[in-house]
Amino acid sequence: MSEPTGLAGEAERLDAADALAAVRERFVLDDVTYLDGNSLGALPAHVPARVADVVRRQWGELRIRSWEESGWWTAPERIGDRIAPLVGAAAGQVVVGDSTSVNVFKALVAAVRMAREDGDGGPGGTGGTDGAGGTDGAGGTDGAGGPGGPGPVRDEILVDATTFPTDGYIAESAARMTGCTLRPVTPAEVPSVLADRGGRTAAVLLNHVDYRTGRLHDLPALTAAAHQAGAYVVWDLCHSAGALPVGLDEHRVDLAVGCTYKYLNGGPGSPAYLYVRRDLQHRFDSPLPGWNSHAEPFGMRSDYAPASGAVRGRVGTPDILSLLALEAALDVWDEEGVSVAAVRAKSLALTDFFLRCVGAYVPDGRVESVTPAAHAERGSQVALRCDDAGEVMKRLIERGVVGDYRAPDVLRFGFTPLYVGFADVERAARVLARTLAG
């Protein structure tokens, strides 16, 4: 074990030089070292007053008028446009609403339907509403091809075998609904599986950051591999949005989903979001068509006609209270000097420093990092394999260091650069060492 002398002083100097340090004051925090923002972000201090206004004035005084006068009806798209730059998307492609699970279902089924319309065209290829596919074309659930004749039968969905369980459950249901075979594969196996069986692959569902290990997967390369095989890709951004650059538009991602209660600090159960690339929006065929996504939502027609644009991703009446709490929480991104690039730089510095402190304070062999050391492969968390991890985390929390535990043996520590400092990191590692010592 190396000598820990000087790390506390180094943390103090790093905090003094931190350009984002002042943003911490925008959050409700206490003496607890909070390293669980990858599960639930801290409360931005101005949100309670904003929510109180929504409840007392917009709901209490304006009542039904607030759908128009307070902008309730357009909130899903308006707030989507505020999230868009945080995931590298232009306005008009993100809609906020429902849960991540519901949005995964919508996106995955829609991806399979588009793949079957394409036939051999692939994403951005010869298929489309005026080509093959649709109810009166050559496509449909039998996977027949585009205008050039029958193409490959798109009857398989690839899903990240290490995914957060709900994504797997949803993928299995979507596969049954669309008559596809579900093939769990690790992200590292995706290119080879696509090269071997890509002609049968309709859609690929992947996580940008592994929720257990914090491994950052190669979104540009995996997206390109899916497109090369003629498949559509759906990315789950729950553990990357608000923590690191995503580049949805730059890398031509087809569809993406994510939650807003982690690094975006939207609050417990805050609504998720759905990204549909602009050139695919006219083809997005949701398996959950609702009155909110109708072209004439107040026309009360018995037949469904989808609206234009990202609005197609809506289903039912939005949850206004949590939606507007999220909108208020996003204000922190308007602060001077706050950007995804700045957050990413600090995130890497924090996780580097934490790994150094753990190496200095914790006896050799007591914990093992399962988070990649390489910056290009690391999200904004550090996961340590540890015997009795569940009990260790309980004792850490009792001592004022809050992380979390994932079965069977992983301690997770999330680093939200907007409010976590280097002194927090040093203290967490020091308390971890004392806890492991008994």
Side-chain angles (χ1 to χ4, degrees), residues 51-70 72 321:
V51 172
D53 176 72
V54 173
V55 172
R56 293 172 182 163
R57 184 181 62 84
Q58 297 181 26
W59 179 16
E61 297 176 16
L62 296 178
R63 294 178 287 275
I64 196 71
R65 291 161 52 194
S66 274
W67 284 106
E68 181 177 350
E69 294 180 27
S70 299
W72 288 2
L321 296 182

Side-chain angles (χ1 to χ4, degrees), residues 138-149:
T141 56
D142 62 356

